[in-house]
């Protein structure tokens, strides 16, 4: 029964998300007809739905918790809208949708999630289902200081029957909709069309994300952001590549770029660095009217402003920082704010950890000296480069060799090459910032390393005189192999969990939930009870003797004793 339930709600969430995506696109991005949505494809519709649901989650959390009644109504509205518009895009995209999410469905069945899931990902999402916004949550624990929009998204999937057992579905949705975007570019339906740089880049990205990011239970928030960043890079290359195309097409691409960028920066705050692409777009299209028509479109401007406001409030309410843990962006005067020394310490800890100066088993001496300059590089190479980065590089190079061999052609063609150097330079700058500040692949490194290799390879390969009809069998074979690797590695993972933990995905597919994951919710309730008791006594000494709690503008603000 549980096996059937988890599959039913899996597809209900997918279809409901698409309903909200269609609503968002038609009402906010000014798409005037269903044919345009088909042209954009269900992948973009799906990501738009995720973005819109995140905005809904941010906004409604000001007023009430995301309980089962609210979430059920929200799910139903999305499903009704999906059913209402399904005829408009089923013909071309429905096969992609069902096939991709059927293959990805194996990732739902998880016994062991990543360590941070039980530490704060699950508790944070669950907290949003029990309470409206509470200021000062960062004082309850380290994990509460780094909110992600995926936690807000997952809180909307607290539903009857399924409870909270799909709080790990966000990465599956991101990977699934991203795959549809990529596959629609791979299957171009023009048998005579010659392959270009964008085509090869799409294909390499598809292979990379499905082989390297196969274990979705380990994604957390970092890898979903990296997958979306790859789609963002490709979209930016596309708008440069199609510079001479119709203004309408460029406007649509530009809207999608803004949408992706807004979605990415809400997932992890270090992706705010990717806003540098806005500067690039301004410089590149400065004299083009269509660019400014999109930028100053009242709906797009409002959506962008709301997203930034929600992101700032989410960070401020948890830690007192506009962007945690950047010290100069933190306001210590707020009653719930963290001490700046603690913020500096946390920032240094992130850097120390990512530079291989600390692990669960050891911590380097003199950490401040270690993380400064290039003192850390030799130890990082020894402790992290071998074998983590080296294995990743070996895997990427292996993909490139196989891919190059599959599409190699002695016949060459002349190619009109747009100027990609500026975008490639930005990617290299982002790579250098990553390397010198937080050089852990999980913290925004995988996709940068991959694209630094994929881009020049794709540019070189576009010289080959290949077309769709001549390479169709090769295309299908590579997609099948990639899918089999993804599926096979997940089968191996599940089999390992069956042997090690006694997991039974067909009988009891839900991941185990330890009572410890509810610790923060219990702590919040205790603090609120203490606060109410003190209020009834009307005794200030009571507040001093208990954990310091205050009522601030209608919300409960919790902050620790200093």
């Amino acid at each position: 029964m549980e096996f059937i339930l988890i599959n039913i709600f899996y597809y209900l969430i997918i279809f409901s998300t698409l309903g909200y995506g269609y609503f968002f696109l038609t009402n906010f991005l000014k798409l005037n007809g269903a044919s345009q949505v088909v042209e954009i494809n269900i992948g973009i519709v799906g990501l738009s739905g995720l973005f819109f649901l995140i905005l809904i989650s941010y906004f409604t959390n000001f007023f009430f918790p995301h309980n089962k009644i609210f979430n059920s109504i929200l799910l139903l509205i999305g499903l009704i809208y999906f059913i209402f518009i399904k005829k408009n895009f089923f013909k071309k995209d429905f096969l992609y949708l069902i096939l991709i999410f059927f293959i990805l469905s194996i990732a739902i069945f998880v016994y062991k999630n990543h360590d941070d899931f039980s530490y704060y990902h699950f508790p944070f999402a669950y907290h949003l289902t029990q309470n409206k916004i509470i200021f000062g949550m960062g004082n309850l624990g380290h994990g509460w200081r780094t909110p992600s929009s995926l936690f807000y998204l997952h809180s909307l999937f607290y539903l009857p029957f399924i409870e909270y057992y799909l709080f790990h579905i966000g990465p599956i949705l991101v990977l699934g909709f991203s795959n549809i975007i990529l596959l629609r570019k791979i299957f171009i339906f023009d048998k005579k069309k010659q392959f270009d740089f964008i085509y090869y880049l799409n294909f390499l990205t598809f292979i990379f994300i499905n082989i390297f990011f196969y274990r979705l239970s380990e994604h957390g928030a970092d890898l979903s952001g990296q997958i979306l960043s790859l789609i963002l890079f490709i979209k930016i290359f596309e708008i440069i590549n199609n510079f001479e195309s119709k203004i309408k097409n460029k406007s649509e691409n530009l809207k999608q770029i803004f949408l992706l960028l807004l979605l990415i920066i809400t997932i992890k705050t270090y992706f705010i660095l990717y806003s540098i692409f806005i500067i690039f777009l301004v410089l590149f299209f400065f004299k083009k009217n269509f660019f400014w028509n999109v930028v100053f479109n009242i709906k797009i401007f409002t959506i962008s402003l709301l997203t930034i406001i929600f992101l700032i409030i989410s960070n401020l309410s948890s830690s007192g920082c506009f962007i945690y843990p950047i010290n100069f962006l933190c306001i210590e005067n707020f009653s719930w704010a963290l001490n700046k020394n603690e913020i500096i310490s946390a920032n240094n800890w992130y850097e120390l950890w990512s530079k291989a100066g600390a692990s669960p088993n050891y911590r380097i001496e003199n950490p401040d000296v270690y993380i400064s300059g290039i003192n850390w590089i030799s130890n990082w190479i020894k402790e992290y480069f071998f074998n983590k980065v080296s294995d990743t590089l070996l895997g990427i190079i292996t993909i490139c060799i196989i891919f190059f061999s599959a599409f190699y052609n002695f016949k060459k063609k002349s190619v009109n090459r747009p100027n990609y150097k500026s975008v490639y330079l930005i990617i290299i700058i982002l790579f250098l910032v990553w390397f010198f500040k937080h050089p852990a692949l999980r913290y925004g490194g995988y996709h940068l390393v991959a694209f630094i290799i994929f881009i020049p390879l794709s540019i070189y390969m576009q010289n080959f005189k290949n077309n769709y009809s001549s390479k169709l069998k090769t295309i299908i074979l590579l997609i099948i192999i990639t899918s089999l690797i993804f599926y096979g590695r997940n089968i191996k993972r599940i089999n390992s969990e069956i042997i090690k933990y006694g997991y039974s995905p067909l009988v009891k597919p839900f991941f185990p939930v330890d009572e410890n994951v509810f610790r923060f919710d219990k702590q919040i309730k205790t603090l609120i009870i203490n606060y109410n008791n003190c209020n009834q006594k009307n005794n200030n000494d009571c507040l001093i003797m208990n954990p310091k709690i205050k009522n601030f503008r209608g919300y409960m603000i919790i902050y620790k004793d200093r």
Side-chain angles (χ1 to χ4, degrees), residues 116-351:
D116 284 344
F117 184 78
S118 59
Y119 173 47
Y120 74 98
H121 290 204
F122 180 97
F124 200 115
Y126 182 74
H127 151 67
L128 296 173
T129 70
Q130 305 299 307
N131 306 285
K132 62 182 180 181
I133 187 171
I134 295 180
F135 287 74
M137 290 295 293
N139 290 289
L140 299 182
H142 172 73
W144 295 86
R145 303 169 189 176
T146 55
S148 167
S149 60
L150 285 181
F151 307 159
Y152 285 85
L153 176 70
H154 287 153
S155 72
L156 301 178
F157 303 144
Y158 181 57
L159 295 161
F161 306 110
I162 202 72
E163 299 288 331
Y164 34 64
Y165 289 107
L166 282 176
F167 275 12
H168 61 320
I169 196 175
I172 299 175
L173 298 175
V174 169
L175 182 61
F177 293 130
S178 298
N179 272 328
I180 294 174
I181 293 171
L182 296 170
L183 283 174
R184 276 293 303 274
K185 297 293 183 180
I186 293 170
F187 288 108
I188 52 181
F189 302 110
D190 184 351
K191 294 183 178 181
K192 295 183 179 180
K193 184 175 176 64
Q194 294 287 317
F195 296 155
D196 59 6
F197 158 70
I198 302 295
Y199 184 88
Y200 291 120
L201 200 57
N202 270 283
F203 211 150
L204 283 165
T205 301
F206 171 80
I207 295 171
F208 172 73
I209 63 176
N210 287 285
I211 291 179
F212 275 78
F213 300 156
Y214 78 97
R215 188 166 182 170
L216 277 81
S217 61
E218 297 289 340
H219 275 213
D222 304 273
L223 299 190
S224 292
Q226 293 193 48
I227 291 170
L228 292 172
S229 295
L230 291 174
I231 304 297
L232 173 69
F233 296 163
I234 292 173
K235 288 292 179 183
I236 291 172
F237 281 123
E238 281 181 354
I239 202 171
I240 296 172
N241 195 51
N242 299 326
F243 187 66
E244 300 301 327
S245 65
K246 296 179 181 179
I247 291 178
K248 173 185 168 183
N249 293 335
K250 288 187 289 186
S251 296
E252 297 298 339
N253 284 334
L254 189 60
K255 291 174 184 177
Q256 293 175 35
I257 288 170
F258 280 121
L259 173 69
L260 285 166
L261 187 56
L262 288 170
L263 179 55
I264 290 165
I265 64 175
T266 65
I267 291 179
K268 274 288 187 177
T269 50
Y270 58 72
F271 285 115
I272 290 175
L273 286 171
Y274 287 43
S275 300
I276 191 175
F277 284 111
I278 294 178
I279 299 173
F280 163 78
L281 291 170
V282 169
L283 295 175
F284 193 85
F285 294 111
F286 186 78
K287 296 182 179 180
K288 303 299 177 182
N289 290 333
F290 84 91
F291 177 81
W292 299 109
N293 289 338
V294 171
V295 171
F296 292 115
N297 178 283
I298 186 63
K299 290 184 178 181
I300 294 175
F301 180 80
T302 302
I303 291 167
S304 301
L305 183 61
L306 282 174
T307 304
I308 294 169
I309 290 172
F310 289 150
L311 182 62
I312 289 174
I313 292 176
S314 177
N315 278 271
L316 276 176
S317 65
S318 64
S319 62
C321 300
F322 287 96
I323 303 175
Y324 177 86
I326 301 177
N327 183 42
F328 68 88
L329 292 176
C330 298
I331 303 174
E332 197 173 16
N333 293 333
F334 290 141
S335 56
W336 68 88
L338 299 172
N339 185 284
K340 286 202 173 183
N341 290 330
E342 190 173 358
I343 294 167
I344 293 170
S345 177
N347 190 34
N348 290 342
W349 172 254
Y350 283 129
E351 196 168 345

Side-chain angles (χ1 to χ4, degrees), residues 535-552:
N535 261 355
Q536 291 173 2
K537 295 176 181 178
N538 195 24
N539 186 346
N540 288 332
D541 291 336
C542 178
L543 286 172
I544 295 172
M545 293 175 65
N546 283 279
K548 291 184 178 180
I549 47 181
K550 289 185 177 180
N551 188 275
F552 179 75

Side-chain angles (χ1 to χ4, degrees), residues 423-453:
V423 179
Y424 191 60
L425 178 61
I426 292 174
I427 293 173
I428 290 175
I429 291 171
L430 292 172
F431 170 81
L432 292 174
V433 172
W434 166 80
F435 180 75
F436 285 106
K437 291 301 294 180
H438 41 85
L441 290 170
R442 184 175 192 85
Y443 297 157
Y446 282 109
H447 68 301
L448 294 174
V449 172
F451 253 43
I452 284 175
I453 298 173

Side-chain angles (χ1 to χ4, degrees), residues 338-562:
L338 299 172
N339 185 284
K340 286 202 173 183
N341 290 330
E342 190 173 358
I343 294 167
I344 293 170
S345 177
N347 190 34
N348 290 342
W349 172 254
Y350 283 129
E351 196 168 345
L352 183 68
W353 180 277
S354 62
K355 290 179 176 177
S359 75
N361 305 318
Y362 82 99
R363 182 171 178 170
I364 206 80
E365 293 183 5
N366 302 317
D368 291 338
V369 175
Y370 176 81
I371 63 176
S372 64
I374 58 173
N375 297 332
W376 51 274
I377 289 182
S378 59
N379 185 66
W380 178 84
I381 291 174
K382 181 177 70 174
E383 297 292 336
Y384 189 76
F385 184 87
F386 299 108
N387 295 315
K388 188 70 173 180
V389 178
S390 60
D391 286 354
T392 299
L393 282 172
L394 181 61
I396 291 172
I397 292 170
T398 301
I399 288 174
C400 290
I401 292 172
I402 294 172
F403 192 79
F404 181 84
S405 302
F407 286 96
Y408 181 79
N409 194 327
F410 288 104
K411 296 180 180 179
K412 301 295 190 295
K413 63 181 179 181
S414 59
V415 179
N416 182 22
R417 298 177 181 174
N419 187 2
Y420 301 124
K421 292 180 182 178
S422 52
V423 179
Y424 191 60
L425 178 61
I426 292 174
I427 293 173
I428 290 175
I429 291 171
L430 292 172
F431 170 81
L432 292 174
V433 172
W434 166 80
F435 180 75
F436 285 106
K437 291 301 294 180
H438 41 85
L441 290 170
R442 184 175 192 85
Y443 297 157
Y446 282 109
H447 68 301
L448 294 174
V449 172
F451 253 43
I452 284 175
I453 298 173
F454 289 165
I455 290 170
L457 176 64
S458 299
I459 290 174
Y460 177 76
M461 288 181 64
Q462 71 177 340
N463 295 308
F464 300 157
K465 197 171 184 180
N466 290 322
N467 59 43
Y468 185 72
S469 60
S470 65
K471 289 294 182 179
L472 181 58
K473 291 182 179 178
T474 301
I475 293 167
I476 294 173
L477 180 61
L478 287 175
I479 290 173
I480 291 173
I481 291 172
T482 301
S483 302
L484 288 175
I485 292 173
F486 175 88
Y487 211 80
R489 296 183 81 177
N490 273 284
I491 288 290
K492 183 180 178 181
R493 170 188 60 80
I494 291 174
N495 185 60
S496 175
E497 291 177 344
I498 290 172
I499 295 171
K500 189 173 182 179
Y501 304 111
Y503 182 45
S504 181
L506 295 178
V507 178
K508 193 171 181 61
F510 299 151
F511 53 78
V513 177
D514 192 294
E515 282 298 312
N516 191 45
V517 302
F518 301 109
R519 63 193 182 281
F520 291 119
D521 190 61
K522 292 177 180 177
Q523 187 175 350
I524 292 166
K525 290 178 181 177
T526 300
L527 290 171
I528 292 175
I529 290 171
N530 289 340
Y531 172 79
N532 290 333
N533 289 338
C534 289
N535 261 355
Q536 291 173 2
K537 295 176 181 178
N538 195 24
N539 186 346
N540 288 332
D541 291 336
C542 178
L543 286 172
I544 295 172
M545 293 175 65
N546 283 279
K548 291 184 178 180
I549 47 181
K550 289 185 177 180
N551 188 275
F552 179 75
R553 296 181 184 176
Y555 297 118
M556 185 65 66
I557 298 173
I558 302 172
Y559 63 99
K560 67 181 180 181
D561 197 359
R562 298 188 185 282

